[in-house]
Amino acid sequence: MNEAMEMLSFGIRIAEPFIALVVVIMCFYSLRGGRREEKALIVLEDAENESTYPVIYWENSIGRSKSSDIRISDPTVSRDHAVLLRRNDGWFVADTGSRSGVYVNGERTVGRSPVGVGDIISCGSTSLVLRRAADMGVKTPQKEKKTVPQALILICIMLYMSLLTLQGVINTGKPDIVLPAAAFTAVMWIFYAVSRAVFKRRNFELESLALLLSGTGIMLAAAHDMKNGMTQTAAMVLGIVIYLFMLWFLEIPDRVMKWTVAISVLTLLLLASTLVLGRSLHGAKNWIIIGPVSVQPSEFAKIAYIFAGASTLDVLQTKKSLASFIAVSGISVGLLVLMSDFGTGVIFFVSFLMIAFMRSGDIKTVILAVTAAVLGVLVMLSAKPYIADRFSAWGHVWEYADDTGYQQVRSLIYSASGGLFGVGLSDGYLQYLFASENDLVFCLICEELGCIIALLCAAVIGGMMIYSRGVTTRSRSTFYSIAACTAGGMLVFQSALNIFGVTDILPLTGVTLPFVSYGGTSMAACWGLISFIKAADERTYARHIPKTKKRRPEKTEPEYVEV
C-alpha cells in the first residue's frame, strides 16, 4: 500500500468511530425526547370525600396494598382488589379475586367490564367515579419535544457503512465487498420507507441502533469472506421480517395471551427437536443441519420463552401461581444442559429470574430459584466432572496459553494491538483464529476497528436495556413491561457473557454478541427480541388506536392518540 493509501486508510479509521458515536448520541437523544410525559390519563374521584387518584398507567392495580397503583385505605377493600386497564376500545375494570367483588353502577362485574366517564366503580365500601383529567383541573399539556430527523440518522449510518466499505476495499483489494454494503443500504432504506408509509410509525431510533450493530457485523464478515457478508445480510432481512410480524402480533396483548399455552409448548418443542435431531458441533448439540442450511433453534426459543413468561396485570393478579412457568423454565434449562449448551442455559435461567421477580415481586422466589440452581450445578459437576474441565483455564488463561487458554490469550494480545482506532478492516491477525467472527468478535472489533467502536457496540446494547426499563412505565400493558425488560436483560446478559468471556473475566461459554457475531439464527433472533422493546413504547401503536364504537364514544375515546 502506497503512502497516499495509508494516509487515506488512517483518516477513515479515525472518522468511523466518531460517525458511529454521532449516530448513537442522536438515537438515544431522540428516544428520550420523543417520550410522553407521565401525565394523568384519567382521574378517579372518591364519591364520598372527593379525594382524587390520578390514573397514570394503562394498567393500574386497585387495592389496600402498599404496592397498589391506586391505594385505598379502606378495610373493606382487599389488598389486591381490582385492575383498571385501558385497551384500544376504552377503559375496563376487572375483579382480581377480591372478597367483596367489584361493582360498576351497582352491577357486579364478571370478567372485564367496560367503564366510561361518569361511571361509578365500587370496591368494598369505597365508590370511585371515573372523570376526565381535564375536567378535574389536571393539566395534560402536549409539549413539543425535540427529536432528531430519522432520515438524518440513516444518512449517518450510510456514511459509516461507506467508510467501512472503502477501508475494506483498500485493505483487501477486493471490490466485491461493495455488494453486501450496497445490499445493506438498500434494505435499510426500504425498511424505513415501509415503516413510515405502511405502518405509519414516526420513530425509528431503536431500529437504527440495531442497523448500526448489524452493519458492523456484516462488514466484518464481508471483509474476511464476501459470501459470509451476503449470508449475514440475508439473515438481517429475515430478522426484519420477524420483527415486523411480531410487532403486528404484539399490538393486541389479549390476542397474545390466548396463544400463551401454545407458545409455551413451542418453546419446549424447539429445544426438544434440537436434542433429537441436532448435531454436536464444538461440544454442544445445538444445531440442526439440513443440507447447506444450519439452524440453532434455541435462539428462537428465547423469543418464545419471553412470550410464555410475560402476562397482563389482571391475569397476574387473578392467577398468582408461577407453577406452570417454573415447569416450562425447568424443562427448558434441563434440555439445554442435555445439549451441553450451558451458555444458553444460563441465559434462560437469568431470564427466568427476571420474569419471576417481575411477575411476583417476591425476592424469596428468586432466592429459592438461585439456591436450587446452585445445588443443581454442584450435582451436575459431581456427576459429570468433564464439564468442570471446560472452565479449568478461567481466571488464569496465560498459564494455559498453548492449551485451553489459546483462543483467549491470542484474543487479548490482538485486541490490545488495535488501540483506539484499530489496525484496519481485515488487516488484523485475529481473523485467522477459529471462531473469530463468532465467540471472539468483540476482540476482533477491538483489533480491526478499535476499542472506541467496540465499546460503542457494548454501550448500544446496554442503552437498549436502559431504554426498555424507561418505557415500561408508559407501556400499554404489564405484558409489554415484563417482555421488554426481559428482552433487554437477555441481550445485555448475553453480551456480558460474550465480552467478559473472551477477556477472561467470566468463563468462555461460546455465546454470540447480539447483532454483531456471524450467525444467521442469532441475527434473526436478536431482531425478534427488540420487537418486545419496541412494542413496549406506546408511540409504536399510537396511530392504530381507533375511535371506540361502544357506548358513550365521546367519553371513552383515548385522550392520547399520537405524539
Side-chain angles (χ1 to χ4, degrees):
M1 186 186 300
N2 58 41
E3 186 175 348
M5 287 293 99
E6 289 180 357
M7 292 296 294
L8 176 60
S9 179
F10 180 71
I12 291 172
R13 297 204 307 273
I14 293 177
E16 286 166 351
F18 288 106
I19 294 174
L21 179 61
V22 168
V23 171
V24 173
I25 291 174
M26 288 194 298
C27 285
F28 282 113
Y29 174 81
S30 194
L31 281 171
R32 182 178 177 81
R35 294 186 299 177
R36 174 179 70 88
E37 295 179 349
E38 282 197 353
K39 62 187 183 66
L41 300 170
I42 56 172
V43 173
L44 293 178
E45 180 186 20
D46 192 311
E48 182 177 345
N49 56 31
E50 297 185 350
S51 59
T52 57
Y53 303 91
V55 178
I56 298 175
Y57 310 119
W58 288 66
E59 292 183 347
N60 308 265
S61 57
I62 301 175
R64 204 176 69 252
S65 171
K66 293 181 180 180
S67 62
S68 296
D69 299 311
I70 301 169
R71 187 186 178 195
I72 303 173
S73 300
D74 180 349
T76 63
V77 175
S78 300
R79 289 179 57 81
D80 299 310
H81 199 105
V83 167
L84 179 67
L85 64 157
R86 170 177 163 181
R87 290 294 182 258
N88 286 7
D89 46 359
W91 287 91
F92 297 83
V93 66
D95 187 353
T96 54
S98 65
R99 296 189 306 272
S100 57
V102 176
Y103 294 79
V104 175
N105 298 329
E107 295 183 8
R108 185 158 187 164
T109 62
V110 178
R112 289 182 185 174
S113 298
V115 289
V117 174
D119 285 344
I120 300 174
I121 304 171
S122 299
C123 301
S125 60
T126 299
S127 295
L128 304 171
V129 185
L130 192 147
R131 305 289 192 191
R132 288 183 184 274
D135 294 343
M136 300 301 294
V138 179
K139 296 182 180 180
T140 56
Q142 285 292 325
K143 295 182 180 179
E144 187 68 25
K145 297 182 179 180
K146 294 181 180 180
T147 57
V148 179
Q150 307 299 299
L152 177 60
I153 296 175
L154 297 190
I155 290 171
C156 290
I157 294 176
M158 188 169 65
L159 177 58
Y160 170 75
M161 290 294 291
S162 299
L163 291 177
L164 284 178
T165 305
L166 180 57
Q167 183 186 139
V169 171
I170 291 173
N171 293 345
T172 65
K174 300 176 180 178
D176 58 0
I177 295 177
V178 173
L179 293 177
F184 170 89
T185 303
V187 170
M188 178 179 70
W189 285 106
I190 292 171
F191 180 26
Y192 175 65
V194 169
S195 181
R196 294 277 292 188
V198 178
F199 297 102
K200 309 298 182 184
R201 297 195 179 103
R202 296 172 60 184
N203 55 320
F204 200 73
E205 301 91 351
L206 188 64
E207 296 90 335
S208 298
L209 291 169
L211 286 167
L212 180 70
L213 294 176
S214 300
T216 301
I218 287 170
M219 292 314 298
L220 281 170
H224 305 143
D225 188 329
M226 196 274 289
K227 182 180 177 182
N228 288 350
M230 293 301 296
T231 301
Q232 197 73 343
T233 305
M236 185 187 74
V237 174
L238 174 61
I240 290 172
V241 172
I242 293 173
Y243 171 83
L244 292 174
F245 170 79
M246 285 187 57
L247 283 184
W248 167 80
F249 183 64
L250 289 165
E251 181 177 356
I252 304 174
D254 296 333
R255 173 174 60 196
V256 178
M257 293 310 301
K258 293 178 181 178
W259 286 85
T260 299
V261 175
I263 294 174
S264 299
V265 173
L266 177 62
T267 305
L268 301 180
L269 287 177
L270 284 170
L271 297 174
S273 64
T274 311
L275 188 62
V276 175
L277 305 174
R279 290 178 56 182
S280 182
L281 295 177
H282 317 305
K285 190 179 183 181
N286 56 358
W287 290 92
I288 293 179
I289 302 175
I290 304 174
V293 179
S294 58
V295 181
Q296 193 172 0
S298 60
E299 292 291 335
F300 294 121
K302 295 175 185 176
I303 299 173
Y305 183 71
I306 293 176
F307 274 114
S311 187
T312 57
L313 184 59
D314 56 333
V315 173
L316 288 179
Q317 287 199 181
T318 305
K319 301 176 181 178
K320 293 181 178 296
S321 176
L322 282 170
S324 59
F325 179 59
I326 291 174
V328 171
S329 303
I331 296 172
S332 298
V333 174
L335 290 171
L336 288 166
V337 170
L338 291 175
M339 297 177 209
S340 296
D341 191 354
F342 303 109
T344 306
V346 173
I347 292 171
F348 265 67
F349 179 69
V350 171
S351 301
F352 163 75
L353 295 180
M354 289 188 287
I355 293 174
F357 179 72
M358 293 185 71
R359 284 178 61 127
S360 66
D362 187 4
I363 193 65
K364 291 182 291 185
T365 302
V366 175
I367 294 173
L368 181 62
V370 171
T371 303
V374 170
L375 292 175
V377 169
L378 293 175
V379 171
M380 182 178 64
L381 292 178
S382 301
K384 299 182 178 182
Y386 70 88
I387 294 175
D389 294 339
R390 293 188 179 185
F391 306 115
S392 59
W394 174 35
H396 40 91
V397 293
W398 295 97
E399 298 175 22
Y400 299 85
D402 294 319
D403 190 15
T404 52
Y406 183 89
Q407 283 182 300
Q408 289 159 291
V409 167
R410 271 68 182 176
S411 296
L412 291 170
I413 293 172
Y414 295 144
S415 61
S417 67
L420 293 176
F421 306 108
V423 299
L425 198 63
S426 192
D427 256 10
Y429 293 101
L430 189 57
Q431 61 180 304
Y432 304 112
L433 205 61
F434 174 73
S436 62
E437 298 170 13
N438 309 101
D439 305 346
L440 314 179
V441 73
F442 182 78
C443 288
L444 182 66
I445 300 172
C446 289
E447 182 190 20
E448 296 193 358
L449 301 181
C451 69
I452 296 178
I453 290 181
L455 293 175
L456 274 178
C457 290
V460 167
I461 297 172
M464 286 182 178
M465 174 59 194
I466 295 172
Y467 172 67
S468 68
R469 174 61 185 87
V471 298
T472 54
T473 57
R474 300 170 177 83
S475 64
R476 302 186 307 143
S477 171
T478 302
F479 171 86
Y480 296 128
S481 301
I482 296 174
C485 285
T486 305
M490 190 177 285
L491 290 171
V492 167
F493 187 71
Q494 181 172 325
S495 300
L497 287 179
N498 179 278
I499 295 170
F500 296 147
V502 78
T503 52
D504 198 32
I505 297 174
L506 292 174
L508 185 62
T509 53
V511 299
T512 57
L513 183 63
F515 296 103
V516 184
S517 289
Y518 177 69
T521 312
S522 174
M523 170 73 84
C526 287
W527 278 94
L529 287 175
I530 66 166
S531 66
F532 290 114
I533 302 174
K534 182 74 172 182
D537 190 336
E538 63 179 357
R539 295 174 299 167
T540 300
Y541 302 112
R543 289 179 176 269
H544 295 279
I545 299 177
K547 293 184 178 180
T548 180
K549 295 181 181 179
K550 290 195 173 185
R551 63 190 181 91
R552 288 199 292 270
E554 72 283 359
K555 295 181 180 179
T556 57
E557 180 182 350
E559 297 177 47
Y560 173 75
V561 177
E562 65 181 27
V563 176

